[in-house]
DNA sequence: TAGATAAAG
DNA sequence: TTTTCTTTATCTA
């Protein structure tokens, strides 16, 4: 874990001459980010920590500890010689007054991370998460919209990367200039709504936005102009600093004699291709030149949930069982909150070996039987954990011979292939329909107007969005949904996963009380295993009139954009002299922006930030949904416009998957069609 | 196509 | 050179 860091990126792709790259990173482990609020044992510590850190005038030297490591620390501590990933012993030696907070429990950090992403998504759907503390954002459209409003004068907000101190006119870079103001507004919103500070970089692609965002830290932002791309790339201390070049790649480059970015730029492409293959070789070359055409791909809901623990030494099966049980308990709890149903379980271990102590994880995975999957999301946690532990142990013994001795240093449990309950019931389109009042059964929708994505992924991410969302639903009619007959509780309409909403017409199965579509024979239906029933209900839904009713309009979902942050940043003047010196501590930020966030507050996460709900959604009902489903619905509402620049390679494989899933459902469904 | 793993942040 | 996650790409059976 590192400090709370939110970076975002804005790009304007229209004009090469005026591409705007923006990258922000907020390194605000300003002591206020306390990650372990949920551990009781830390509560006492918490008070002490807050009084020393937050309330005092002088920030304490403070850091976040995980196990015996300082994973990150604030700037005061860094001045005293504490570094990231230093051992606690060393750090205490250098700096005895160092105040430490435990950071193993990522719950709060994870939640706040999603809050940041969601807040950004309320401005534009094109937000891509990078880890927990960075976000890229493509603000091209926002910029173009402002361009069309023909501003008289342009100015930069924040810093401009300007190594030569040359005169720079904002009017020569209008899109980057506008991007810088957008970034400032976004940072302002993050601060005023979430109490977090951070940096931003503004540039023409993700790579450059990320690189330039760190130019002035903390809590500042920087624009990179195209003419300085060469400079920023060559100023990197080595290839490892190029985002996209990791440990292994750097090692292989070293074997080719490549250490600096310049050397990588000059290395013949053929050499790179020989070593890394065509695709990677070309990508590396482009990256070295600051060229990155990867799109901002909206992240949506997480694709997997995992939990892990590391330790010095674990050698007995009993310990392994116990550890897996602990990990699974908390993971299942998280899974239940998420609301989706995992289809795959994976167990990962790391063994101690003298040669390769700290890399090399091994894993085995297997499908989760449907009944168990259901227990995970709806049963009691214990019911699910017991069979999961035995599943995990089977996987464990695929890797570790029961008789032989072993030495583990890490265990990880992971749920993936997450299928939304929405999908389990009837696809995204169907669950969306619950929130719209326009579900008169009389209106026949076309099948393809509901998203046939049955794979549980965030809609619109790689799978095509519904072709045309009816805009006819007057988005200004919030009141209507609250009207006498419109309002119903979500759980009333959809107890667990079995009932069909009232709007759907069909016959009722007497034995189960389920309402089935008219073309389904209730007797045949009930003879089926429950999972199949669920699946069929899903497909029946997809085809039912209710699934085609309107979603909200994008405008409704993005209303925040009119909510300008009340605070304005004190921007640096554009006086060139000021740009290139080291950031003056006094200059680091507007004091109004360095406020702290106290994490003792209610983690006001998902409950209905109504500014981003479509007008026809009841915020109260919405707030009762599991966080995962809320997130998913929000992504769906946000992504009304076909803006995603998904690379074709990516898209094809995912689409194929989705289509395959739909085919399965259709195959099952045909047995129920009387004709 | 699922599973395993490397690589990245 | 160690932490706790999460995503994506690539190789293999």
């Amino acid at each position: 874990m590192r400090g709370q860091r939110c970076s975002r990126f804005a790009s304007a792709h229209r004009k090469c001459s005026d591409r705007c790259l923006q990258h922000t990173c907020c390194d605000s482990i300003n002591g206020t980010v306390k990650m372990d609020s949920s551990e009781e044992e830390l509560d006492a510590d918490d008070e002490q920590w807050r009084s020393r850190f937050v309330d005092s005038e002088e920030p304490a030297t403070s850091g976040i500890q995980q196990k015996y490591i300082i994973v990150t620390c604030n700037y005061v501590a860094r001045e005293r010689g504490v570094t990231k990933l230093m051992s606690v012993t060393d750090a205490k030696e250098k700096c005895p007054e160092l105040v430490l907070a435990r950071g193993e429990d990522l719950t709060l950090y994870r939640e706040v991370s999603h809050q940041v992403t969601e807040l950004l998504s309320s401005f534009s759907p094109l937000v891509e998460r990078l880890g927990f503390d960075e976000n890229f954002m493509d603000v091209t459209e926002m910029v173009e919209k402002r361009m069309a409003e023909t501003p008289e004068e342009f100015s930069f907000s924040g810093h401009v990367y300007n190594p030569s101190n040359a005169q720079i006119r904002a009017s020569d870079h209008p899109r980057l200039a506008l991007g810088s103001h957008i970034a400032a507004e976004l940072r302002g919103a993050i601060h005023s709504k979430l109490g977090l500070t951070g940096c931003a970089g503004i540039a023409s692609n993700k790579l450059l936005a990320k690189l330039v965002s760190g130019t002035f830290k903390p809590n500042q932002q920087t624009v990179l102009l195209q003419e300085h791309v060469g400079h920023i790339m060559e100023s990197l201390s080595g290839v490892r600093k190029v985002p996209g070049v990791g440990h292994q790649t750097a090692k292989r480059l070293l074997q080719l004699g490549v250490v600096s970015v310049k050397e990588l730029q000059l290395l013949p492409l053929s050499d790179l291709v020989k070593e890394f293959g065509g695709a990677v070789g070309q990508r590396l070359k482009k990256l070295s030149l600051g060229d990155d055409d990867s799109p901002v791909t909206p992240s949506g809901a997480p694709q997997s949930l995992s939990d892990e623990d590391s330790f010095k030494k674990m050698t007995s099966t009993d310990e392994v069982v116990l550890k897996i049980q602990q990990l699974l308990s908390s993971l299942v709890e998280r899974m239940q909150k998420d609301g989706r149903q995992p289809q795959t379980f994976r167990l990962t271990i790391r063994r101690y070996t003298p040669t390769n102590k700290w890399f090399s994880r091994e894993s085995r995975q297997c499908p989760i039987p449907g009944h168990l999957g259901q227990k995970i999301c709806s049963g009691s946690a214990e019911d699910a954990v017991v069979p999961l532990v035995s599943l995990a142990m089977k996987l464990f013994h695929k890797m570790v011979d029961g008789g032989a001795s072993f030495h583990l240093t890490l265990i990880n449990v992971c749920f993936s292939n997450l299928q939304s309950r929405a999908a389990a019931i009837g696809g995204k389109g169907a669950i969306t329909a619950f929130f719209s009042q326009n579900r008169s059964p009389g209106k026949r929708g076309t099948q393809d107007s509901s998203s046939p994505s049955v794979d549980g992924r965030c809609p619109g991410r790689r799978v095509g969005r519904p072709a045309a969302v009816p805009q006819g639903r007057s988005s200004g009619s919030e009141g209507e949904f609250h009207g006498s007959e419109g309002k119903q509780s979500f759980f009333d309409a959809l107890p667990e996963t079995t009932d069909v909403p009232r709007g759907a017409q069909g016959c009722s199965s007497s034995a189960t009380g389920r309402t089935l579509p008219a073309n389904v024979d209730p007797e045949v239906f009930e003879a089926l295993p429950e999972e199949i029933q669920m699946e069929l209900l899903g497909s029946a839904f997809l085809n039912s009139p209710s699934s085609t009713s309107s979603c909200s309009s994008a405008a409704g979902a993005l209303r925040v954009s009119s909510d300008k942050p009340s605070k304005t940043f004190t921007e640096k003047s554009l006086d060139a002299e000021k740009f290139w010196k080291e950031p003056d501590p006094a200059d680091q930020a507007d004091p109004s922006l360095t406020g702290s966030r106290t994490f003792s507050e209610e983690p006001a996460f998902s409950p209905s930030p109504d500014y981003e709900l479509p007008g026809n959604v009841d915020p109260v009902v919405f707030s009762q949904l599991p966080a995962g489903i809320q997130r998913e619905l929000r992504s769906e509402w946000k992504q009304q416009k076909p803006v995603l620049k998904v690379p074709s390679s990516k898209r094809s494989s995912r689409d194929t998957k989705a289509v395959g899933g739909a085919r399965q459902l259709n195959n099952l469904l045909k047995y129920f069609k009387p004709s």
Side-chain angles (χ1 to χ4, degrees):
Chain A
M1 183 204 76
R2 292 174 302 164
Q4 180 67 21
R5 156 183 266 248
C6 35
S7 65
R8 93 188 60 88
F9 137 87
S11 72
H13 294 287
R14 299 286 163 89
K15 271 193 191 169
C16 293
S17 61
D18 184 30
R19 297 182 109 196
C20 106
L21 149 144
Q22 154 184 13
H23 168 149
T24 50
C25 65
C26 13
D27 241 341
S28 57
I29 173 53
N30 44 22
T32 61
V33 183
K34 183 176 175 301
M35 306 311 307
D36 45 4
S37 62
S38 62
E39 292 202 19
E40 324 100 285
E41 59 172 12
L42 292 168
D43 283 350
D45 203 44
D46 182 18
E47 276 315 302
Q48 179 209 6
W49 189 77
R50 181 172 306 110
S51 64
R52 292 192 55 182
F53 187 78
V54 177
D55 300 337
S56 63
E57 306 259 313
E58 288 289 304
T61 52
S62 56
I64 304 288
Q65 170 184 8
Q66 281 176 348
K67 298 286 159 68
Y68 42 89
I69 290 287
I70 309 287
V71 289
T72 191
C73 59
N74 67 359
Y75 286 85
V76 193
R78 286 180 211 185
E79 273 167 31
R80 308 287 305 272
V82 181
T83 62
K84 293 180 181 179
L85 305 178
M86 177 181 265
S87 83
V88 171
T89 326
D90 290 355
K92 282 281 188 186
E93 213 170 276
K94 290 216 173 213
C95 185
E97 72 276 28
L98 183 68
V99 179
L100 291 176
R102 302 293 296 214
E104 287 91 349
D105 183 350
L106 299 178
T107 309
L108 185 57
Y109 191 53
R110 187 187 297 118
E111 280 180 5
V112 174
S113 164
H114 281 289
Q115 286 177 28
V116 172
T117 303
E118 273 183 23
L119 180 54
L120 293 175
S121 305
S122 69
F123 290 83
S124 158
L126 295 180
V127 180
E128 178 179 341
R129 293 164 58 79
L130 186 62
F132 276 9
D133 57 1
E134 294 179 42
N135 288 279
F136 289 116
M137 192 161 168
D138 184 339
V139 298
T140 307
E141 271 203 33
M142 294 173 77
V143 166
E144 291 304 326
K145 196 160 161 250
R146 294 188 189 198
M147 280 295 281
E149 288 162 3
T150 61
E152 315 261 300
E153 271 176 34
F154 291 97
S155 66
F156 286 112
S157 181
H159 300 278
V160 177
Y161 187 95
N162 185 6
S164 55
N165 270 344
Q167 179 80 3
I168 291 170
R169 295 206 320 251
S171 56
D172 293 337
H173 312 276
R175 288 178 175 79
L176 287 166
L178 289 171
S180 72
H181 286 278
I182 290 170
E185 288 163 26
L186 296 173
R187 290 205 298 136
I190 289 171
H191 184 258
S192 64
K193 294 196 196 288
L194 302 174
L196 299 170
T197 58
C199 295
I202 300 94
S204 58
N205 66 41
K206 293 198 286 186
L207 169 80
L208 295 173
K210 181 170 172 55
L211 284 179
V212 80
S213 71
T215 310
F216 294 96
K217 296 201 284 190
N219 197 24
Q220 293 165 82
Q221 63 176 64
T222 315
V223 172
L224 181 69
L225 308 179
Q226 211 56 37
E227 61 242 48
H228 296 132
V229 169
H231 185 278
I232 199 172
M233 293 312 299
E234 286 162 37
S235 72
L236 299 175
S237 61
V239 287
R240 188 59 242 270
K241 301 287 176 190
V242 178
V245 176
H247 177 74
Q248 300 293 334
T249 308
K251 233 166 63 180
R252 289 165 74 180
L253 285 170
L254 181 61
Q255 285 169 356
L256 298 177
V258 172
V259 176
S260 70
V261 173
K262 191 80 207 175
E263 286 164 345
L264 181 54
Q265 291 172 348
L266 294 175
L267 189 75
L269 180 60
S270 56
D271 291 10
L272 279 171
V273 169
K274 213 185 323 168
E275 172 67 27
F276 296 97
V280 176
Q282 284 188 358
R283 169 127 179 100
L284 284 172
K285 171 125 254 177
K286 289 176 92 177
L287 289 178
S288 73
L289 296 165
D291 187 357
D292 170 22
D293 52 15
S294 68
V296 172
T297 306
S299 302
Q303 318 241 335
S304 62
L305 299 187
S306 64
D307 221 331
E308 72 185 29
D309 202 359
S310 67
F311 26 79
K312 284 261 146 77
K313 193 174 191 181
M314 183 173 289
T315 53
S316 78
T317 314
D318 286 353
E319 292 172 285
V320 171
V321 171
L322 194 63
K323 180 53 72 184
I324 285 176
Q325 203 168 30
Q326 285 168 8
L327 291 171
L328 276 171
S329 298
S330 78
L331 187 63
V332 165
E333 204 175 298
R334 274 213 277 148
M335 201 64 247
Q336 281 176 347
K337 280 191 189 136
D338 177 281
R340 286 173 295 170
Q341 186 175 320
Q343 309 288 109
T344 304
F345 175 71
R346 178 164 64 234
L347 179 75
T348 304
I349 60 171
R350 184 180 63 192
R351 327 164 95 114
Y352 175 86
T353 58
T355 45
N356 208 7
K357 266 179 261 188
W358 54 95
F359 299 122
S360 80
R361 288 148 92 112
E362 303 163 61
S363 67
R364 294 291 181 271
Q365 68 184 47
C366 66
I368 298 173
H371 59 89
L372 184 48
Q374 277 174 327
K375 267 187 194 156
I376 293 167
C377 39
S378 49
S380 80
E382 277 309 298
D383 282 358
V385 169
V386 173
L388 278 170
V389 170
S390 71
L391 197 62
M393 291 313 291
K394 276 182 201 152
L395 294 176
F396 178 72
H397 285 120
K398 282 189 181 180
M399 295 183 276
V400 176
D401 178 5
S405 66
F406 57 85
H407 177 168
L408 305 186
T409 60
L410 174 141
I411 295 180
N412 173 297
V413 290
C414 174
F415 289 137
S416 62
N417 200 353
L418 274 19
Q419 185 164 54
S420 70
R421 300 244 250 168
I425 297 163
K428 312 260 153 49
I431 197 164
T432 304
F434 290 127
F435 294 96
S436 113
Q437 56 157 145
N438 188 11
R439 33 189 161 79
S440 141
K443 286 181 206 143
R444 171 97 225 160
T446 55
Q447 231 170 288
D448 57 2
S449 71
S450 69
S451 171
S453 110
V454 289
D455 62 356
R457 283 211 190 75
C458 172
R461 189 176 173 194
R462 313 76 187 171
V463 186
R465 196 175 289 100
V469 176
Q471 297 285 333
R473 174 83 258 122
S474 59
S475 51
S477 59
E478 284 132 326
E480 288 177 54
F481 190 72
H482 300 279
S484 47
E485 46 93 47
K487 181 153 181 170
Q488 58 180 251
S489 127
F490 174 80
F491 296 104
D492 190 18
L494 191 69
E496 294 311 320
T497 58
T498 47
D499 277 11
V500 171
R502 291 164 183 167
Q505 287 213 319
C507 62
S508 175
S509 146
S510 55
T512 61
R514 285 173 185 142
T515 307
L516 300 172
N519 55 355
V520 173
D521 180 335
E523 276 182 52
V524 177
F525 183 84
E526 291 198 18
L528 290 167
E530 202 172 349
E531 304 99 270
I532 308 258
Q533 290 187 6
M534 306 293 291
E535 232 175 316
L536 286 163
L537 280 171
S539 56
F541 243 114
L542 270 178
N543 295 316
S544 81
S546 67
S547 69
T548 61
S549 55
S550 71
C551 309
S552 68
S553 72
L558 298 176
R559 219 171 300 148
V560 200
S561 54
S562 63
D563 177 18
K564 293 270 160 57
S566 50
K567 275 177 188 137
T568 48
F569 287 72
T570 31
E571 302 304 341
K572 307 285 159 309
S573 78
L574 286 181
D575 179 358
E577 285 169 29
K578 289 190 78 177
F579 289 155
W580 213 242
K581 63 183 185 187
E582 281 296 302
D584 174 348
D587 188 30
Q588 276 176 356
D590 179 338
S592 69
L593 289 172
T594 53
S596 58
R597 175 190 175 91
T598 59
F599 283 95
S600 57
E601 290 163 16
E602 266 315 288
F605 184 34
S606 39
S608 65
D610 51 10
Y611 53 83
E612 57 182 48
L613 298 182
N616 53 356
V617 171
D618 183 334
V620 179
V621 174
F622 184 82
S623 71
Q624 290 173 40
L625 291 170
I629 293 195
Q630 288 192 11
R631 231 176 264 144
E632 223 172 304
L633 285 166
R634 282 212 195 95
S635 330
E636 186 167 352
W637 291 327
K638 277 170 206 153
Q639 298 174 15
Q640 302 283 332
K641 286 181 285 174
V643 276
L644 309 188
K645 298 164 291 183
V646 180
S648 55
S649 59
K650 249 187 206 174
R651 191 170 42 214
S652 60
S653 75
R654 311 268 187 171
D655 280 356
T656 309
K657 232 177 190 170
V659 167
R663 201 189 305 125
Q664 262 184 354
L665 284 181
N666 286 338
N667 286 342
L668 283 166
L669 189 67
K670 69 181 178 219
Y671 294 107
F672 292 87
K673 296 252 165 84
S675 45

